[in-house]
Amino acid sequence: MAMRSNRRDFLTTSAAGAASASAVWHAVGPSPAWARQATADSPMQRLNFASIGVDGKGSSDSKDAADKAQTVALCDIDDRKLRKSKARLSEFAPDAKTFADFREMLTEMGDEIDAVTVSTPDHTHACASVMALAMGKHCFTQKPLTWSMREARVLRELAAEKGVCTQMGNQGTATDGLREGVEVIRSGALGDIKEVHVWTNRPVWAQGDGLPKTDDGKVKTDKVPPYLSWDLWLGPAPFRPFTENIYHPFQWRGWLDFGTGALGDMACHTANMVVMALALFDADSAVAEHSGIVEGQYPGNSKITFQFAEREGMDGNTVPAMPLYWYDGGNKPDQALLMGEKMVNSGSLVVGTEGSLYSPNDYGAQYTLISKTADKYKDYTPPERTLPRSPGHFQEFVDAIKAGKPEMALSNFDYAARLTETILLGNAALRAGKKVEWDAEKMEFTNLPGEAGAGLVGRDYREGYTIDPEKAVSGA
């Protein structure tokens, strides 16, 4: 434990002299050279990363970690992917150790690790992140931050308690377009906000048809291949037999046990700008219309309505009560709301009394101001910047660690966990089959007492997995 403390204290102290420079680059331009380049004088000035999940999105996350810091360990339940990643990163991480089980990796190498990337399927995010955070590790976790609302709350509170730097992998947060869009909405340029619409082209995987069957009507199962640690892949989720290409490596997103569906996959991107601009946290209720949950699979399409009360915005101004409408599986808002603009397959729309802001982009990276009044925004000048501009999503995370300033990473868990709770409330409404009324402070559904409501907030885990920080570290 002493070595862990010394590494963390040294990294923070060594960055202290550059902290004022860090504040400057956030406002006016790229990060300084010290934050981008390895320092050969002392290995302690290099962050040591471990990457949990190295394929899919984990491929780029592990590459970012190896490129901007130093990778000492790689972990994946698929040995083929693990060996491929080890070879791919050999130039950057020639001595990285490999593991199939993140628990073994963190236990064995805890003193050598400063930070982790977690790029596993949704159902494993929380258990891996909790263990890392409980050990005092900085944590970059993919979106959606967690599988359940309970997990999101635990990560938010634990990250604050440990004082570590965190970032969720919704990369659009780093774009100038998103940050300027947030500033525009907050400035009052749209008048009073009346409603918000967010939509996506997902799912782009099999969803809504249930489990594959054999000719005699039985659920199809396959032999687990020798390169795959199936029990580790299942992790905290209920046991399910292996079926080729049904859960692993990609289709898991469409299954209630493992993924968070179209909403969980994309709303942390596509709703990010509007949630940040309007502090759309802790909705009072959510109700879902959808095509049906079949054999534990998310619906093929849905429309979800979230209702928010009047609130204080993140900039201190009052935000009026409003609904947020979510659409997926081919559903979209009324074309008339776009006032002649082309409807795209994924985007967001903020409707105000004076005009609307339309982002025809998965990440909120671009926007257009529209109004019924001709040329209302023809000569519009964006408001003064109130948000720092980013050197890049992962770089921002690394810079936050080196400066010892968790708030420098804009999608830190204090924000990202609240965004995730908002999104996952929609999945609770899907599963409930009725309107759900939510008390965020108590983390309870006021119209679903007992186990019915508790089962929508979180779940029990298989033996060996936990989101209790003390048990995670002790191995209890």
Side-chain angles (χ1 to χ4, degrees):
M1 293 298 292
M3 179 61 179
R4 248 191 333 262
S5 177
N6 287 345
R7 276 197 60 80
R8 182 173 170 187
D9 291 347
F10 182 90
L11 287 163
T12 301
T13 303
S14 66
S20 59
S22 177
V24 172
W25 70 250
H26 258 303
V28 302
S31 58
W34 68 263
R36 294 182 175 274
Q37 298 175 359
T39 302
D41 295 340
S42 169
M44 292 189 78
Q45 288 183 281
R46 284 280 277 183
L47 290 169
N48 284 350
F49 266 85
S51 290
I52 305 170
V54 296
D55 192 47
K57 195 67 189 75
S59 177
S60 59
D61 290 343
S62 59
K63 175 63 167 60
D64 281 339
D67 181 46
K68 301 181 187 304
Q70 176 171 283
T71 295
V72 296
L74 300 167
C75 180
D76 203 284
I77 51 76
D78 189 321
D79 187 59
R80 297 176 308 169
K81 307 298 185 184
L82 190 58
R83 286 186 280 109
K84 180 181 177 182
S85 179
K86 170 78 170 175
R88 179 172 55 86
L89 299 176
S90 60
E91 178 184 351
F92 304 93
D95 300 320
K97 296 182 180 179
T98 57
F99 297 84
D101 190 332
F102 68 83
R103 298 167 300 179
E104 291 182 6
M105 180 192 74
L106 288 170
T107 300
E108 179 179 326
M109 298 191 64
D111 289 345
E112 300 175 53
I113 296 169
D114 299 307
V116 300
T117 61
V118 179
S119 313
T120 62
D122 299 347
H123 68 288
T124 318
H125 283 187
C127 290
S129 300
V130 162
M131 185 172 182
L133 291 172
M135 296 174 72
K137 311 304 178 190
H138 308 288
C139 197
F140 182 99
T141 301
Q142 265 306 322
K143 56 80 199 167
L145 191 61
T146 59
W147 179 87
S148 75
M149 290 184 287
R150 175 72 66 193
E151 293 170 340
R153 186 70 61 91
V154 168
L155 260 61
R156 178 184 169 198
E157 292 174 349
L158 184 57
E161 175 190 331
K162 295 296 182 179
V164 293
C165 296
T166 57
Q167 185 88 303
M168 182 171 72
N170 52 345
Q171 289 78 7
T173 309
T175 62
D176 287 357
L178 180 140
R179 298 190 183 199
E180 185 174 292
V182 168
E183 293 161 347
V184 170
I185 296 168
R186 289 177 178 176
S187 74
L190 307 179
D192 292 332
I193 307 303
K194 298 192 298 181
E195 60 191 41
V196 173
H197 302 262
V198 185
W199 63 102
T200 183
N201 65 340
R202 269 46 166 196
V204 293
W205 50 81
Q207 188 170 301
D209 296 325
L211 291 161
K213 306 294 195 303
T214 60
D215 292 340
D216 59 1
K218 295 180 179 179
V219 174
K220 185 178 183 295
T221 61
D222 294 307
K223 183 179 179 180
V224 179
Y227 54 79
L228 180 64
S229 298
W230 182 240
D231 193 68
L232 293 178
W233 187 91
L234 290 169
F239 176 81
R240 296 289 181 264
F242 175 77
T243 303
E244 190 73 35
N245 293 323
I246 292 303
Y247 304 120
H248 175 74
F250 178 65
Q251 308 283 12
W252 53 266
R253 292 191 181 279
W255 297 93
L256 270 63
D257 287 333
F258 310 117
T260 50
L263 180 66
D265 181 48
M266 289 309 296
C268 285
H269 287 311
T270 316
N272 187 19
M273 177 174 67
V274 298
V275 169
M276 186 180 295
L278 299 167
L280 296 181
F281 309 126
D282 306 334
D284 289 340
S285 66
V287 62
E289 307 166 49
H290 59 85
S291 57
I293 294 173
V294 180
E295 295 181 324
Q297 209 175 37
Y298 286 97
N301 67 78
S302 70
K303 176 184 176 182
I304 304 173
T305 302
F306 302 80
Q307 187 63 53
F308 296 87
E310 183 178 276
R311 66 203 45 246
E312 181 180 324
M314 295 174 70
D315 60 349
N317 292 320
T318 299
V319 178
M322 71 185 71
L324 183 154
Y325 302 100
W326 166 266
Y327 313 79
D328 63 47
N331 293 324
K332 295 177 182 177
D334 185 350
Q335 172 70 52
L337 291 169
L338 296 185
M339 297 179 238
E341 294 290 325
K342 180 182 177 182
M343 176 74 73
V344 294
N345 289 329
S346 295
S348 62
L349 179 71
V350 181
V351 180
T353 54
E354 300 295 323
S356 300
L357 183 147
Y358 172 40
S359 178
N361 181 269
D362 273 335
Y363 303 99
Q366 297 95 33
Y367 70 86
T368 299
L369 297 179
I370 55 179
S371 173
K372 292 180 181 178
T373 304
D375 297 333
K376 177 177 177 61
Y377 296 108
K378 181 180 179 181
D379 299 316
Y380 178 77
T381 300
E384 182 180 352
R385 291 183 178 183
T386 56
L387 293 175
R389 294 319 190 241
S390 177
H393 197 59
F394 201 90
Q395 184 66 56
E396 185 176 280
F397 171 58
V398 170
D399 291 352
I401 296 172
K402 291 190 173 184
K405 295 179 177 291
E407 68 277 9
M408 284 173 59
L410 199 60
S411 197
N412 61 72
F413 288 3
D414 186 58
Y415 167 76
R418 300 191 74 188
L419 168 61
T420 299
E421 280 192 37
T422 290
I423 300 311
L424 296 183
L425 179 63
N427 276 346
L430 282 175
R431 293 162 58 199
K434 60 183 288 186
K435 181 179 181 179
V436 293
E437 297 172 357
W438 178 238
D439 184 328
E441 183 177 354
K442 295 181 180 179
M443 290 207 82
E444 293 178 355
F445 291 103
T446 57
N447 64 330
L448 291 173
E451 292 184 6
L456 298 177
V457 178
R459 64 177 172 187
D460 294 330
Y461 302 123
R462 290 201 306 147
E463 186 176 354
Y465 294 90
T466 182
I467 58 169
D468 181 308
E470 292 186 7
K471 291 180 180 179
V473 174
S474 68

